[in-house]
Amino acid sequence: MSFSSIVDFVVLAAIWGASFLFMHLAVGEFGVVATAATRVAVATAILMPLMLAQGHGAAFRRHWWKACLVGLLNSGLPFLLFAFALLSITTGLSAILNATVPLFGALVAWGWLKDRPTGSRVLGLLVGFGGVAALAWDKASFKPDAVSGIAPVWAVLACLLATVCYAFAASATKRFLSGLPPLVTATGSQLGATLALGVPALWLRPQHMPGTQAWLAVLVLGVMCTGVAYFLYFRLIEQAGPSRALAVTFAIPVFAILYGALFLGERVTPSMLLWGAVVLFGTSLSTGLLKLPLARATA
C-alpha cells in the first residue's frame, strides 16, 4: 500500500474503533433502529453536498441505485445488528467479532468472484473460524442480560451476521462500483441505508427525548464514524482492493478495547484476548497478509 493508503488505514481503524463506544452511548436512549437510522441520515446530510460540490452529480445520477443497494448491506443492516448487540455485550467483544469480516470476505470472494484461497489462506480460514467458534462458545449464554433482557448469544450471532453483510458488500462494491469516485459510493451507500431505515425509525422512535450525551454520540457516529469513515473506506477499496481494505478490521479491536476500558470501564478477560488473537491470526492468513513458510514452500 502507498503511504497515503497506510495513513487512511490507521485513521479509519481509530475512527471505527470509536464507533462501538458511541453506539453504546446512543442505543440505550435512541433504541436500535433510531440509532442506526439517525447515524446514516446524518452521514448522508454531510456527504451529499460535499459530493455535489466536487462535481460528481452526473456520476451519482448514473449509478445511485447500485450504490444505494450496496448501502443496505454495508451500512443499514450491519448498523442495526451491532446496535442490537451492544445492548448486551461489550464494545471490545463486538469489535473482535467484527474482525471476522475478512474471513467471510474471503469465502464470498471465493464463491462469487472465483478468488479461490490456496495454501496458508485455507489454513487461515480454518484457524479463524475455530477462534470465532471458541470465542462465541465462551460468550454463548442464553441467560438474558440483567439490563437489556437480551441473551448474549443472540448478540454474538447478530455481530457475525453483520460481518457477513460487510463481506458481501465489499465484493459487490468491487464488482458493480469499481472506478466510481469514493465520494459517490459513500454518499449513495448512506442514502440507501437512510431510505431503508427511515420509516421503521419513525415507527420505532424513542418514547422520550434522548439526552445531550446520546445526541452527541449519534452525531459523532454520523459525521466521523460514518460520513468520514466510509469515504476513507471506499477510497481504500479503490486504491488497495477489497481484501486489504477489509483488513482494517484487524486494527479496530485494539482501539475499541482501549476506548471501552478507558471510558466505559469494560473488563477485558484473558480468554477474550486469547481467542481474539487466534481470530486475528487466522484472518491475516486467510487474506494473504501473512504467509507461513511451509505453505509457500509447498505451493
Side-chain angles (χ1 to χ4, degrees), residues 42-54 60 183 186-188 191:
V42 170
T44 302
I46 295 295
L47 291 170
M48 184 66 74
L50 290 176
M51 181 203 66
L52 295 175
Q54 292 292 318
F60 180 78
L183 198 51
T187 303
L191 177 62

Side-chain angles (χ1 to χ4, degrees), residues 185-238:
T185 308
T187 303
S189 69
Q190 298 314 303
L191 177 62
T194 301
L195 294 174
L197 297 177
V199 173
L202 289 174
W203 183 263
L204 299 170
R205 63 186 181 275
Q207 296 299 310
H208 304 285
M209 177 63 69
T212 302
Q213 178 178 266
W215 271 108
L216 288 174
V218 82
L219 288 174
V220 174
L221 272 174
V223 176
M224 288 297 298
C225 301
T226 311
V228 174
Y230 272 91
F231 169 72
L232 295 175
Y233 175 64
F234 287 118
R235 187 163 71 179
L236 268 179
I237 289 181
E238 187 65 26

Side-chain angles (χ1 to χ4, degrees), residues 5 24-25 30 34 39 46 53 59 89 98 121 132 134 144 165 174 176 179 182 214 225 245-246 257 262 273:
S5 294
H24 174 87
L25 295 174
F30 272 89
R39 175 180 181 177
I46 295 295
I89 62 176
N98 183 64
R121 297 183 67 185
V132 170
C165 291
K174 187 65 176 178
F176 299 118
C225 301
L246 287 174
I257 290 171
L262 287 177
L273 292 176

Side-chain angles (χ1 to χ4, degrees), residues 98-123:
N98 183 64
T100 62
V101 171
L103 289 176
F104 291 109
L107 288 179
V108 171
W110 182 4
W112 188 3
L113 304 180
K114 308 306 179 184
D115 181 13
R116 182 177 181 178
T118 56
S120 60
R121 297 183 67 185
V122 173
L123 176 62

Side-chain angles (χ1 to χ4, degrees), residues 11 14 24 42 66 68 91 132 151 254 262 286 299:
V11 172
H24 174 87
V42 170
K66 293 180 183 178
C68 283
T91 59
V132 170
V254 177
L262 287 177
S286 71

